[in-house]
Amino acid sequence: MKKNLIAVCCCILSAHSIAQTKKVNFIADAAHQKVDVLVDGKPFTSFLYPDNLEKPILYPLITASGFTVTRGFPLEKRGNERTDHPHHVGLWLNYESVNGLDFWNNSYNIPADKKSKYGWIRNVKVEKLQENKNNGYLVYSANWERQDKRVLLKEATVFEFSGTAGTRTIDRTTTLTAQQDTVYFKDIKDGMLGLRVTKELELPSDKEESYTDNNGIVTKISPAKNGANGTYLTSEGKKGNDAWGTRGKWCMLYGRKDGQPVSITIIDHPKNPGYPTYWHARDYGLFAANPLGQAIFSNGKESLNLTLKPGESVTFRYRVLISSGQQQTAAELDKQAADFSSQKSFKF
């Protein structure tokens, strides 16, 4: 797998990455299981894969102007910030139902007597770091495992990081390959690429809500009284809470932080299963693309229930565009989506 990963990393060249002007650097710290990512010499994010997390993540995400757009909890404490859903940390990719195991909701908060119902992504290995003039690649492998350490899926992921004076971009390509068992992704609500945002990018809310995971654990969300001013916009024109459960080739979450326009956009790729994806976009700051939950979001009118036989693979590609200082327009995001869509599809 290592040779294939490196070959893929070396051959990925896109019009998007060539157009960028800021150099990307990495600082690897194997002892603390992290890799810091710098753009133009300034912190952008860190790839974290410590043993006490149930999946690898990118955390925090920082704009070109220096604002952090991800929530701190559970890794950091910040004033007037929500402390619900401890599995919502940074930017991640996993799913709520893989052979009946919940990879999405797993965290330190799951009681020991229920832990066997949850999966984790572990044995993470950084395969390659490549610094180029206009971008940088981080390549890693990992296992999607049961609690008894039986491997269901092998993961191979390439991150391409890039940036300009006002933007930071992450292009993620993840291939999942079934191992000894047939792997079944049940259509379900919580998945797949997700991030949890800073309080300013939450949508204003005056109501308490309760959310229940696939194993019956309930989390309550209190009304927002923290300066929330964010809203969603999709490629299909859906705004605010109307974005949830709808399809679109991109979705932007935008607002103001310290008086400056800030936005995060997730762009889907036409080669992904279920394109254009459904948006699992919550007002309390969970922002996720879930192409596999079709039965849930369509009220049973559609279904996917993705299945991989041993040796079969599926690839997911996403662009995450973080902007500050100037509001992105729908036309600009359509252009970004067209650029991302034009990139060649490949497998590991």
Side-chain angles (χ1 to χ4, degrees):
M1 177 180 287
K2 184 173 181 179
K3 288 184 178 179
N4 289 337
L5 283 167
I6 293 173
V8 167
C9 178
C10 292
C11 74
I12 304 172
L13 290 174
S14 67
H16 167 72
S17 63
I18 293 172
Q20 303 306 307
T21 60
K22 304 300 181 182
K23 185 172 177 57
V24 175
N25 295 106
F26 299 108
I27 301 174
D29 184 351
H32 294 92
Q33 295 175 295
K34 74 170 185 172
V35 179
D36 295 330
V37 184
L38 309 180
V39 178
D40 199 28
K42 297 184 292 186
F44 172 26
T45 189
S46 294
F47 177 61
L48 305 180
Y49 54 103
D51 295 334
N52 62 346
L53 284 180
E54 278 72 16
K55 73 256 186 185
I57 62 171
L58 293 178
Y59 173 90
L61 298 178
I62 302 172
T63 68
S65 59
F67 292 138
T68 298
V69 294
T70 39
R71 180 179 73 163
F73 178 80
L75 301 184
E76 298 178 70
K77 292 183 179 179
R78 299 182 193 150
N80 297 319
E81 191 174 67
R82 299 184 193 269
T83 56
D84 57 80
H85 293 92
H87 52 280
H88 291 172
V89 52
L91 174 69
W92 69 91
L93 187 149
N94 57 17
Y95 197 65
E96 186 181 1
S97 183
V98 182
N99 285 15
L101 295 177
D102 188 345
F103 283 79
W104 178 274
N105 289 286
N106 197 6
S107 77
Y108 66 83
N109 199 45
I110 301 300
D113 62 343
K114 292 189 176 182
K115 199 73 170 176
S116 63
K117 299 178 181 179
Y118 295 79
W120 56 10
I121 302 173
R122 59 195 302 270
N123 290 316
V124 178
K125 183 179 180 181
V126 177
E127 302 282 357
K128 186 175 179 68
L129 300 173
Q130 180 172 308
E131 299 176 352
N132 300 322
K133 182 179 178 180
N134 300 300
N135 57 15
Y137 295 106
L138 185 157
V139 184
Y140 80 84
S141 59
N143 295 336
W144 291 44
E145 299 182 6
R146 305 187 318 194
Q147 293 295 316
D148 64 4
K149 300 185 180 181
R150 184 174 178 85
V151 179
L152 299 179
L153 295 160
K154 289 280 188 180
E155 174 181 341
T157 290
V158 175
F159 288 118
E160 178 190 349
F161 300 101
S162 56
T164 67
T167 66
R168 296 289 184 261
T169 302
I170 303 163
D171 283 359
R172 175 175 186 147
T173 302
T174 292
T175 294
L176 303 175
T177 302
Q179 299 303 294
Q180 307 101 310
D181 305 317
T182 296
V183 177
Y184 173 65
F185 297 81
K186 179 183 177 181
D187 283 25
I188 207 159
K189 172 174 60 65
D190 286 333
M192 184 162 195
L193 180 80
L195 73 153
R196 186 65 187 267
V197 301
T198 183
K199 60 187 180 181
E200 290 89 350
L201 289 179
E202 296 174 13
L203 278 62
S205 175
D206 59 1
K207 61 182 184 299
E208 181 178 86
E209 298 184 59
S210 295
Y211 298 91
T212 305
D213 76 11
N214 199 34
N215 294 295
I217 295 178
V218 178
T219 299
K220 292 186 177 181
I221 306 293
S222 59
K225 297 180 180 179
N226 54 11
N229 69 95
T231 195
Y232 292 103
L233 174 67
T234 76
S235 60
E236 308 310 301
K238 299 295 184 180
K239 296 181 179 180
N241 282 316
D242 290 338
W244 188 88
T246 65
R247 289 185 182 272
K249 61 185 179 183
W250 55 259
C251 182
M252 175 174 62
L253 174 57
Y254 64 97
R256 301 185 75 86
K257 186 176 174 73
D258 292 346
Q260 184 179 119
V262 176
S263 66
I264 306 170
T265 304
I266 301 175
I267 301 174
D268 197 14
H269 193 281
K271 295 294 185 180
N272 285 345
Y275 177 87
T277 188
Y278 277 102
W279 297 106
H280 185 24
R282 293 296 196 187
D283 56 3
Y284 63 81
L286 169 64
F287 183 16
N290 182 2
L292 305 186
Q294 296 188 18
I296 299 297
F297 297 121
S298 68
N299 293 317
K301 296 177 183 178
E302 303 169 357
S303 65
L304 182 61
N305 293 318
L306 177 68
T307 301
L308 299 176
K309 295 178 181 178
E312 290 184 338
S313 299
V314 62
T315 297
F316 298 91
R317 301 184 72 184
Y318 298 99
R319 173 170 291 176
V320 180
L321 175 66
I322 302 167
S323 178
S324 58
Q326 184 175 357
Q327 183 62 54
Q328 296 281 316
T329 67
E332 290 170 333
L333 295 176
D334 283 340
K335 186 176 180 180
Q336 281 274 344
D339 168 58
F340 188 48
S341 298
S342 69
Q343 295 184 23
K344 293 181 180 179
S345 178
F346 57 85
K347 291 180 180 289
F348 295 99

